[in-house]
Amino acid sequence: MSAEESTIVDGVPAEVRERHAELSQDIDDHSYRYYMGRPTIPDADYDALMLELRGLEERYPSLRTPDSPTQKVGAPISNEFAAVEHLERMQSLDNAFDPEQLAAWANRVENEITVDAYLCELKIDGLAVDLVYEKGRLVRAATRGDGRVGEDITLNVRTIQAVPEVLDGSLQPVPDLLEVRGEVFLPGKAFEELNARLVGEGKPAFRNPRNAAAGSLRQKDPRVTATRPLSMLVHGVGAHEGVSFTHQSHAYELLAAWGLPVSDRTRVVGSLDEVRSYIDHYAEHRHDPEYEIDGVVIKVDDVSVQRRLGSTSRAPRWAIAYKYPPEEVTTRLLDIRVNVGRTGRVTPYGVMEPVMVAGSEVEFATLHNAQEVARKGVLIGDTVVLRKAGDVIPEIVGPVEEQRDGSERPFVMPQVCPECGTPLGQQKEGDVDLRCPNSRSCPGQLRERLFYIAGRKALDIEALGYVAATALTQPLEPAEPPLRDEGDLFDLTVDRLLPIRTQVLDADSGLPKIDPKTGEPKVVTFFANQKGEPKKTVQKLFEQLEQAKQRPLWRVLVALSIRHVGPRAAEDLARHFRSIDAIAAAGEEELASVDGVGPTIARSIVEWFEVDWHREIVEKWRAAGVRMQEEGADEGPRPLEGLTLVITGSLEGFSRDGAKEAVQNLGGKVTGSVSKKTDFLVAGESPGSKYDKAVQLKVPILDEEGLRVLLAEGPEAAKARVIEALGEHAE
């Protein structure tokens, strides 16, 4: 094999694989920060990264794994409220940013099926909420969460006047079950009045209406939520029983008849030209609605066509969000500094005079890397243009050069890590990013990894927040930090925590917070009270560390910060190998063969386990009692081990994800396409072309009851059911 050929795997050049992996990691990190309320880039930059990733996957489909950011809806769940599973998964929307992208979406839709009408509605910049009504009565309200599981906020939603406690059945009989989706928002005038009241009470004001709505819905005391003039508009239907509708617009008429709040700005149009007119109208009248909008949502109106078009794992193919260009303001760039991420990447960011951008006060903005600073021609001291993209942190577009007075100076990228003093370098030749190679001991990297470990999608240690992570890695006293690396996390003792004094760092910028009384950086004795006794936080931390030891294997894999291994890949690895030792012992080819992993992730896993101190972390955690294998890992094959299934159509008793998980939990594999290697096709209502292909290939077909037989009694019983159903036609 030539050197050139060796760089191509599955038809994908090495540089493309590396760029795809880098984009995936960046997007995952940015998503995590966004949903934790600490965004690091503006929406426009995030959308651009996602657009580039989609382009690579369109060109090289083998890169599109279940763990790719293009295939998942990501948002960590808070520990403040009970977790509840949605009856049907809440998905995201794909985006279009210009007329050409909108036309490309419409062409894809219309090439597959005839579309008679589109429904257009405004895209509200609020908080997505799921409501469940049983026999007309509101029984639950939840946040979107990760699309499958959200936070139970029922008591708080009941304080919203627009949300009916009981549906009105006077015009239309109420259904036995109705799950609806919508956006909770704070009207613009109400937002201004709320902030004025908070400031008058000596409390901090909210940065923008979306933050105000989210903060109001997450109040522990519903009486506080009741003082906030929240509202809501419903824009979708999930699970339902006892009602049917032929069109999305018909569903909205029913929702309105039952007393649910539905927008009066929705329009059904017959052509793409009319869609464009609707978009253009609200681009000019963007501030007419009482709520903030950042675009328009376009949906195929016919529900039967929606079913035919189906969805990806992340978004429906029958809908798209057209995003408006972001708003812009100017302010002065006071400084350019750098911070260090958990992978060692050193990123410049701008520190600016605080300025209001579309309702948000901002003072930090990312600049990505030194090349980007140079490309934009930004100097420290410049008046700069900021572009708002629906995010707390905007993008620096460029300088206003005519306002320069000669005092401006260029930014110089540091040559050593600002956290540990280690010389910076490229991870590989040609990288635009500089990284700190001191991955084990750099306090900045370790702080960020600890904060990541504590996140909901890893070990879920609520008491290990950003200040605690700083205290454990960068104490002022004692000089020696309690943790050498994350392997020491489960060996902490109360005696080691109590003396710690640390600065309070801002999680967005990494800068010390200033004590308003002294004007000096704020310093706290984080784990001890004034008497030197442990705070309640300490007991909570140790309780949660004990709980974390029993987290499932996939969460442990995420917590190890193996590059490119996110929750979806970790779940696939844990399900296949069932123990950390089996994963560590597996070769690159075996790892890559696991559904949802592939060569890039496989290579990263092998490289991670080749590092001595990485293996030490595993052994330290094992010695501390952290769970390193799945339950029943020593019990031999599971009932559906080695079977491959395809699930298509709508199932009454299972969500699509629920059916998939039920099969995977018993060792089976679920794929998206039918082939000769498929053992069973599970077909619900409106199964589509997969059913036809299964018939053509003579793949055994199970209905929903057949799936239950397979899960309960195994493949032989399921095959017997298929043969019995075929009768004399069985071969």
Side-chain angles (χ1 to χ4, degrees), residues 572-609:
D572 291 332
L573 287 162
R575 190 178 295 116
H576 182 88
F577 290 102
R578 305 172 74 184
S579 77
I580 195 82
D581 294 331
I583 295 170
E588 194 172 316
E589 185 175 343
E590 184 181 3
L591 289 164
S593 68
V594 175
D595 186 39
V597 177
T600 300
I601 296 175
R603 189 176 305 108
S604 181
I605 294 168
V606 170
E607 290 174 353
W608 192 90
F609 279 102

Side-chain angles (χ1 to χ4, degrees), residues 472-489:
L472 293 172
T473 57
Q474 296 165 288
L476 299 176
E477 297 176 9
E480 187 69 25
L483 301 184
R484 183 185 181 194
D485 57 43
E486 53 266 57
D488 299 329
L489 178 61

